[in-house]
């Protein structure tokens, strides 16, 4: 193949998960406060971006796929603006329900820099709902997913821990997978609900939680492999892609040697949303018929593109095609030592 990146334009993908509003406050440092040993920032602007499942959907759309998103927002300002942002990107939001007496999860990041310099992340403030989306809402989202059986090429489940991805959605996802649809879980917790999917794409912390291990233990390749094998045995995905931050990625499959790839790109500017990008690119690659090794390389290259940009950005198809030829090639992981 002369072009290493397939054309994703014909693929129909649905994202199901927790929509998050990424709110950015921009400031210019002026002086130290007289009230406390903190920097005073002069307000220079703000904007709302897409986080969580919304960011995964934007990445899928930016890579060329036809995308719809299922989930919930609150009937608040951030929820309305988030849906407007997705619609402007050409994403079908008709399956997103706006509910009263709730709160759209919002992450406010304060970024500061002198004029002409790269903004630095100073502080993050999270505003979160007090409870789960109502049971009836969760059931309706699961019904909407089940109704798409046979109508989509891939499903990406994006769990940010706000309670949408439970038993009902897990059952619908398993049914789509049984019908031949590529189904990928980008997890937070409760891996075991989602049995027999195409792939699971945890980061190192999420794998540690699922395997009842620690980040320090998983720094050892042998322990990482053992944790991966435990998840493969318990959840039975075809592939397990573990994102390791600046250590790259590792790919595990039952009965196959593990693969590893070094992180793509130079020193990261901002890692916000890189996991969403990796999961989106990996899902598209599998839906396009690429094998695990090729899908891993593509996901790694896409993540390498977005970490060089401030904020949770979406990877464009042209940038991915430019980056992939220079990206590392996956190779056999360090073997497990007895």
């Amino acid at each position: 193949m002369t072009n290493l990146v397939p054309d994703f334009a014909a693929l129909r993908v649905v994202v199901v998960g927790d929509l998050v509003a990424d709110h950015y406050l921009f400031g210019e440092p002026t002086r130290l406060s007289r009230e406390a040993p903190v920097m005073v920032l002069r307000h220079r602007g703000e904007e709302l971006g897409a986080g969580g499942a919304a960011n995964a959907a934007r990445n899928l759309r930016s890579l060329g796929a036809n995308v719809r998103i299922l989930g919930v927002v609150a009937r608040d300002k951030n929820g309305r603006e988030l849906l407007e942002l997705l619609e402007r990107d050409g994403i079908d939001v008709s399956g997103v329900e706006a509910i009263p007496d709730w709160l759209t999860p919002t992450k406010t990041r304060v970024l500061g820099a002198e004029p002409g310099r790269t903004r630095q992340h100073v502080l993050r403030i999270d505003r979160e709902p007090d409870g789960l989306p109502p049971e009836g809402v969760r059931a309706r989202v699961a019904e909407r997913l089940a109704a798409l059986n046979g109508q989509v090429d891939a499903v990406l489940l994006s769990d940010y821990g706000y309670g949408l991805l439970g038993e009902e959605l897990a059952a619908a996802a398993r049914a789509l997978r049984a019908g031949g649809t590529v189904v990928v879980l980008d997890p937070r917790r409760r891996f075991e609900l989602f049995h027999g999917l195409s792939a699971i794409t945890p980061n190192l912390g999420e794998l540690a939680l699922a395997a009842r291990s620690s980040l320090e233990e998983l720094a050892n390749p042998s322990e990482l492999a053992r944790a991966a094998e435990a998840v493969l045995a318990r959840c039975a995905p075809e592939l397990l892609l573990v994102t390791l931050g600046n250590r790259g990625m590792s790919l595990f499959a039952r009965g196959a040697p593990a693969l590893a790839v070094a992180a793509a790109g130079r020193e990261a500017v901002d890692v916000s949303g890189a996991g969403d990008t990796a999961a989106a690119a990996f899902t598209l690659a599998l839906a396009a018929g690429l094998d695990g090794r090729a899908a891993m390389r593509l996901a790694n290259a896409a993540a390498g593109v977005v970490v060089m940009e401030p904020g949770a950005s979406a990877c464009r198809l042209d940038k991915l095609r430019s980056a992939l030829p220079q990206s590392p090639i996956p190779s056999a992981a360090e073997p497990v030592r007895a």
Side-chain angles (χ1 to χ4, degrees):
M1 188 191 315
T2 56
N3 190 340
L4 297 175
V5 182
D7 184 357
F8 300 126
L11 294 178
R12 302 158 300 169
V13 186
V14 60
V15 179
V16 190
D18 299 308
L19 285 78
V20 177
D22 279 349
H23 177 224
Y24 296 95
L25 285 173
F26 307 121
E28 179 183 326
T30 59
R31 65 185 186 279
L32 286 174
S33 172
R34 295 179 181 178
E35 302 163 356
V38 296
M39 182 63 66
V40 176
L41 299 179
R42 177 177 291 124
H43 182 266
R44 290 303 190 195
E46 58 187 278
E47 65 182 38
L48 192 85
N55 186 41
R58 288 193 75 208
N59 274 275
L60 288 163
R61 183 66 188 133
S62 188
L63 290 169
N66 298 287
V67 184
R68 69 176 73 189
I69 187 167
L70 307 180
V72 298
V73 295
R75 293 180 185 171
D76 54 18
K77 179 176 180 290
N78 287 345
R80 290 192 300 273
E81 291 187 5
L82 182 56
L83 293 187
E84 290 170 1
L85 172 64
L86 294 174
E87 282 189 298
R88 286 197 300 271
D89 283 344
I91 296 167
D92 182 347
V93 300
S94 60
V96 178
E97 189 166 342
I99 58 177
D101 304 320
W102 207 58
L103 179 71
T104 300
T106 302
K107 299 178 181 180
T108 296
R109 294 176 175 88
V110 180
L111 305 175
E114 296 175 343
R117 293 183 177 271
T118 301
R119 292 175 177 138
Q120 300 296 317
H121 193 165
V122 177
L123 177 69
R124 195 178 98 183
I125 303 168
D126 288 359
R127 286 169 279 181
E128 300 178 319
D130 292 330
L132 305 181
E135 183 177 350
V137 173
R138 301 198 303 273
R140 286 194 294 273
V141 174
E143 289 169 3
R144 292 184 187 115
L145 177 60
L148 295 174
N149 203 342
Q151 300 179 36
V152 294
D153 301 295
V155 176
L156 175 54
L157 304 165
S158 178
D159 187 2
Y160 269 74
Y162 293 107
L164 184 67
L165 271 66
E167 294 278 2
E168 305 97 333
L169 270 168
R174 290 193 298 269
L176 264 75
R177 180 61 196 136
T181 303
V182 169
V183 182
V184 176
L185 171 67
D186 192 20
R188 180 59 55 98
R189 51 180 66 90
R190 301 185 73 187
F191 289 36
E192 65 280 357
L193 288 181
F194 298 89
H195 192 272
L197 302 187
S198 305
I200 303 178
T201 62
N203 63 29
L204 196 61
E206 291 155 353
L207 178 65
L209 183 66
R212 298 175 180 82
S213 189
S214 69
L215 291 174
E216 292 76 15
E217 289 172 326
L218 297 192
N220 182 321
S222 299
E223 294 302 322
L224 176 64
R226 290 191 181 96
E229 290 297 333
V231 171
L232 287 171
R234 191 165 77 248
C235 303
E238 294 171 27
L239 298 169
L240 179 67
L241 179 72
V242 185
T243 57
L244 306 172
N246 60 9
R247 291 167 50 196
M249 299 179 178
S250 291
L251 183 68
F252 301 90
R254 288 168 289 173
L259 298 173
V261 65
R266 304 176 299 279
E267 186 174 349
V269 171
D270 190 338
V271 299
S272 302
D276 301 324
T277 301
F282 194 69
T283 300
L284 282 182
L286 294 179
L290 299 187
D291 63 17
R293 180 192 293 264
M296 177 193 197
R297 187 183 182 199
L298 194 148
N300 190 51
V305 169
V306 299
V307 299
M308 301 310 300
E309 301 176 7
S313 60
C315 180
R316 297 203 319 261
L317 186 60
D318 59 336
K319 289 195 172 184
L320 177 57
R321 283 180 167 156
S322 296
L324 191 61
Q326 288 77 45
S327 68
I329 297 175
S331 58
E334 185 174 334
V336 178
R337 294 182 294 271

